[in-house]
Amino acid sequence: MSHGPSEDTIASNDSRTANEQTARDGPSPTVPAGKSVTELTIKAVLIGLALNVVLLTANMYLGMRSGMTISASIPAAVISMGVFYALRNAGIGGTILENNIVQTMTSAGEALAAGVIFTIAGVTFLDQPIDIAGTAAVAVLGGLLGILFMIPMRRYLIVDKHEELPYPEGTACADVLEAGSQGEGGVKLISLGFFVSFVYMWLASGMAAFKTTIQTAFSAGQTRGFAIGGDFTPALIGVGYIIGPKIAGYVFGGGLIAWMMLIPLLITGGFVPEAAADATLMTQANAVWDEYIRYVGAGAMIVGGFYAILSMSGTIRDALATAMADLRGSATTATEQQRRTQRDLPMKLVVIGAAVIALALVAIPQVQVGLLGGVIAVVATFLFVAVSAYLVGVVGSSSNPVSGMAVATILIAALALKSTGVTDPVVVLVTASVVAIAAAVAGDTSQDLKTGYLLGATPRNQQIAQMIGIAISALFAGWVLSFFHQAYGIGSETIPAPQAGMMALISEGVLTGTAQWGMILIGAVFAIVLILMDVPVLPFAVGIYLPITLATPIFLGGLLRAGIDWYVARNDDEDGTVEEHTTYRGRIIAAGLITGEAIMGIVIGALYILEIGAASGAPFPLGFGAETQTILGVVALVALVGIFTVGVLRGPQTVDT
């Protein structure tokens, strides 16, 4: 059975798009509202759950590795498309809406991973063990709260604001799934990226054949401490390609300000931690970044988060009005109540569910936020769910500033809880983790609902699938986090978990009075200047906070995207077909690069845990000298960029974008 429309059907859909049913309904979906198509099935749920855990693990590794996560919606759509393609060849098949359920459940794991690694992982920086049961409880409560609070906003953000909010990943997923009958090409593309990245990282991390990190520090006249470098791994380059040159440039710009301006000024002025006073210049630069610069990034993130809330005040008000009208039964006509594509989970369930979760946050011992922490978590969650759902509609889920929202919550919670005598920073972290998880899940849910809106899915079925996906992700999140901590050590060079470290730093600093408020103020003022200049604050703030070795390869990926786009634009057809195919291929191969490195990270971590190979460094080192490793690292990087470029420009064109 075919699980995607034919070319004639797609063409028919394109022609129907020009004729809107009503101003409220927007374009005609692929599957009309009056047609019943198999959707939420056991087959789709089982496939979705299996892929959910895989992408949960991959994104947890990536986030702790780079401080950034990406939306798994498009990779999930491609992978599920390939699975259904294989099933179809085996005579089982599946519908396009079953395929959509699979990608909805799969991307839930990625979203929950972002919230967990940005906050809960921070307990390790406070010398606390990872509580697997507690992590599961916080994750499932925060995730469900994010879905519930998104439901009353769906009609306003997804339907009413259809033309204003494109939801890039959601729209792209709909395009990919509509072309599902041609899905073999997409599977080949993601397999190429996966294989190249897997082999690359095995040679680098498994056998120490070459170095991926190249960095240096230098002086210029009397000014000391300029530092530059990069950890040029496939995943980081893939992230840069996906987010594009503009956002990657903002991140790199923040890194340059931190490492080529602020750190040299502080080192020259004598602001070097005592433990690093007699160390090398590179060590001094890293120590200054750890002691001072991260607070500058935190201050910028705090201002950016509050600015986002103020910018969203009108959207929050309108969404609340729509939700209250639905609760009173006055927002929909009898026809709309019967229309399959407009059926959400009932508002009564939303209200009751949110109340139960609020009580659970206070009552469950492993959560330990207390009454005040529970109130702060629920109120902040509602506000930031609205912010997240709106922002991803404009910039996409990969650029969703969840960490900025978590930082704002930590500051509010820490100051409020400190006034009541709370001294444990873990309580503050857990409070913020509920908000971060909910905001990340809400952003992913809104993208999935946009996909469903374009395809003609039933929102209620998607919301149920999302809840199932969140429940499974939450059960595995603690185990996965514990695995990576045991294998590498959270906060180590391999998985520095920069966001989690910042959250722990701020939580402890506010409660103990040791926070670098001067540096936070500098970051806040810097953010205000950026706002006045109409420059996105949060990507800059992330760049300030990240080590320069992470910002540089991300920027390289962005430059690679810009170069390929420029080359294609010069040789494109007038209708832009070549450029569309190239954009699609690049995103899918980049997703494969990220997935391959993440899976290799799991493999090498398992070798360490099982004590196979060398106890430290690469498990099976080749014994090359440092100079040889550096030279081979440059050669490997050039080869990686070359293979990626050829794959993007010459890869399969069987998928209709």
Side-chain angles (χ1 to χ4, degrees), residues 366-406:
Q366 287 87 350
V367 178
Q368 61 181 320
V369 299
L371 179 60
L372 180 58
V375 172
I376 293 173
V378 172
V379 174
T381 293
F382 181 81
L383 293 174
F384 284 126
V385 161
V387 172
S388 177
Y390 183 89
L391 285 179
V392 299
V394 178
V395 300
S397 295
S398 297
S399 302
N400 190 10
V402 171
S403 56
M405 303 176 203

Side-chain angles (χ1 to χ4, degrees), residues 467-549:
M467 289 182 176
I468 297 172
I470 288 300
I472 294 299
S473 299
L475 291 177
F476 279 90
W479 292 102
V480 174
L481 199 63
S482 179
F483 168 82
F484 282 125
H485 186 47
Q486 184 179 356
Y488 299 108
I490 295 175
S492 66
E493 183 178 351
T494 303
I495 48 173
Q499 306 286 14
M502 179 180 65
M503 304 303 173
L505 192 71
I506 297 174
S507 300
E508 187 174 41
V510 174
L511 291 178
T512 61
T514 59
Q516 295 279 2
W517 289 107
M519 294 296 162
I520 292 176
L521 179 60
I522 290 174
V525 172
F526 181 69
I528 292 171
V529 172
L530 292 177
I531 291 171
L532 294 175
M533 296 172 63
D534 198 26
V535 173
V537 176
L538 292 168
F540 252 100
V542 170
I544 292 174
Y545 183 78
L546 289 176
I548 191 66
T549 52

Side-chain angles (χ1 to χ4, degrees), residues 32 82 150 155 185 203 291 304 349 392 408 423 510 582 630 639:
M150 176 57 203
R155 187 182 300 273
L203 292 173
E291 183 76 16
L349 176 63
V392 299
T423 59
V510 174
T582 303
T630 301

Side-chain angles (χ1 to χ4, degrees), residues 12-22 25-29:
S12 175
N13 290 335
D14 290 340
S15 64
R16 290 202 316 268
T17 300
N19 301 313
E20 296 185 351
Q21 295 176 3
T22 63
D25 287 338
S28 299

Side-chain angles (χ1 to χ4, degrees), residues 342-503:
Q342 293 296 334
R343 294 174 189 161
D344 291 296
L345 288 171
M347 280 301 303
K348 289 183 180 179
L349 176 63
V350 173
V351 174
I352 294 173
V356 170
I357 291 175
L359 292 174
L361 288 172
V362 178
I364 296 178
Q366 287 87 350
V367 178
Q368 61 181 320
V369 299
L371 179 60
L372 180 58
V375 172
I376 293 173
V378 172
V379 174
T381 293
F382 181 81
L383 293 174
F384 284 126
V385 161
V387 172
S388 177
Y390 183 89
L391 285 179
V392 299
V394 178
V395 300
S397 295
S398 297
S399 302
N400 190 10
V402 171
S403 56
M405 303 176 203
V407 167
T409 303
I410 283 177
L411 185 64
I412 296 170
L415 291 173
L417 292 171
K418 182 180 180 180
S419 67
T420 64
V422 173
T423 59
D424 187 359
V426 174
V427 176
V428 178
L429 269 182
V430 173
T431 302
S433 69
V434 175
V435 180
I437 293 168
V441 169
D444 173 73
T445 299
S446 59
Q447 294 284 6
D448 292 336
L449 290 173
K450 183 69 168 187
T451 301
Y453 171 65
L454 295 172
L455 295 178
T458 307
R460 178 183 301 176
N461 288 339
Q462 284 191 276
Q463 291 154 5
I464 293 172
Q466 195 85 8
M467 289 182 176
I468 297 172
I470 288 300
I472 294 299
S473 299
L475 291 177
F476 279 90
W479 292 102
V480 174
L481 199 63
S482 179
F483 168 82
F484 282 125
H485 186 47
Q486 184 179 356
Y488 299 108
I490 295 175
S492 66
E493 183 178 351
T494 303
I495 48 173
Q499 306 286 14
M502 179 180 65
M503 304 303 173

Side-chain angles (χ1 to χ4, degrees), residues 37-90:
V37 175
T38 305
E39 193 168 355
L40 186 61
T41 63
I42 294 177
K43 173 177 58 181
V45 169
L46 291 178
I47 296 172
L49 291 180
L51 296 178
N52 173 293
V53 176
V54 172
L55 288 191
L56 165 78
T57 305
N59 227 27
M60 289 183 77
Y61 172 84
L62 174 65
M64 290 189 290
R65 180 85 171 84
S66 68
M68 300 178 68
T69 59
I70 68 159
S71 170
S73 295
I74 294 176
V78 173
I79 294 171
S80 65
M81 191 171 63
V83 171
F84 274 95
Y85 181 82
L87 290 175
R88 186 183 64 184
N89 290 338

